[in-house]
Amino acid sequence: GENVEQHPSTLSVQEGDSAVIKCTYSDSASNYFPWYKQELGKRPQLIIDIRSNVGEKKDQRIAVTLNKTAKHFSLHITETQPEDSAVYFCAARTMNYGGATNKLIFGTGTLLAVQP
Amino acid sequence: DAGVIQSPRHEVTEMGQEVTLRCKPISGHDYLFWYRQTMMRGLELLIYFNNNVPIDDSGMPEDRFSAKMPNASFSTLKIQPSEPRDSAVYFCASSPQGPHSYEQYFGPGTRLTVT
């Protein structure tokens, strides 16, 4: 089955710097890769996603890149702000031999701390 | 839309007791997911439904866990009997059918503590 690895587990940056979080996946048939932000005590919230037919997607200060050949995708946050501090999860939508599923496999999370 | 609704938000119970967690998905969403989140195991999918039918329950830890979806607007996750290792935050999420069906929206979660 699908396996998603996420690095780093913790990341500390200065306000205004960029942050990059990387994930790798094992199932080459996976076709959807969302990123979730989870603040302490809150629910995971979808912040950006990318599908396998696209190499890059951007939304204001956040962007996601996908390298299908290498089976990895990354989250880029520019001009970080203290309110970006949270745990970020990547995920991959698994496929099975009978067709698509709607199942997400999540990475283990990255705790991002933005120092003012 | 009110988003995914879960109840209760917090539950404290004693070992051996039955626990029932409830979820109301976003209206019009055809997929419903139950997740468990712990520090040790991260975010795990327990089971998901499509059009009220269980599709994949391979993440349900053992027979003590059961889930139902009697109609499109309500689902329950039951633990009987509960054990301390079941302590976790349980999230419900829903997703629409169609070309945007990949996006999952989470409820606020139920924090379960079993003593």
Side-chain angles (χ1 to χ4, degrees), chain A residues 31-32 36 38 41-46 49 51 89 93 100-104 106-108, chain B residues 4 31 33 35 37 43 45 48 56 58 91 95 99-104 106-108 111:
Chain A
N31 66 349
Y32 173 69
Y36 285 82
Q38 187 176 27
K42 301 290 182 65
R43 75 190 77 188
Q45 290 197 300
L46 179 66
D49 56 14
R51 305 199 178 195
F89 293 94
R93 178 175 178 259
T101 73
N102 210 11
K103 187 172 174 177
L104 293 179
F106 283 83
T108 50
Chain B
V4 176
Y31 288 91
F33 307 82
Y35 290 90
Q37 187 175 40
L43 199 56
L45 177 66
Y48 80 92
D56 185 339
S58 60
F91 288 103
S95 180
H100 298 293
S101 66
Y102 304 168
E103 300 172 357
Q104 294 186 22
F106 283 75
R111 182 173 296 276

Side-chain angles (χ1 to χ4, degrees), chain A residues 19-92:
Chain A
V20 180
I21 303 170
K22 298 181 180 181
C23 288
T24 60
Y25 60 98
S26 59
D27 186 353
S28 58
S30 290
N31 66 349
Y32 173 69
F33 307 92
W35 286 89
Y36 285 82
K37 174 184 180 182
Q38 187 176 27
E39 297 176 351
L40 186 63
K42 301 290 182 65
R43 75 190 77 188
Q45 290 197 300
L46 179 66
I47 56 171
I48 195 167
D49 56 14
I50 191 167
R51 305 199 178 195
S52 57
N53 59 347
V54 176
E56 183 174 357
K57 185 176 178 181
K58 194 172 183 180
D59 183 3
Q60 298 183 354
R61 295 187 298 108
I62 59 173
V64 57
T65 58
L66 172 65
N67 183 325
K68 288 173 56 179
T69 303
K71 291 188 284 187
H72 67 70
F73 56 111
S74 300
L75 178 70
H76 305 253
I77 307 174
T78 59
E79 301 173 25
T80 54
Q81 301 168 3
E83 51 264 40
D84 294 329
S85 297
V87 178
Y88 291 81
F89 293 94
C90 64

Side-chain angles (χ1 to χ4, degrees), chain B residues 12-26:
Chain B
V12 180
T13 191
E14 292 183 348
M15 182 174 63
Q17 296 299 305
E18 178 181 293
V19 175
T20 300
L21 310 182
R22 297 173 176 80
C23 176
K24 175 179 169 56
I26 295 171

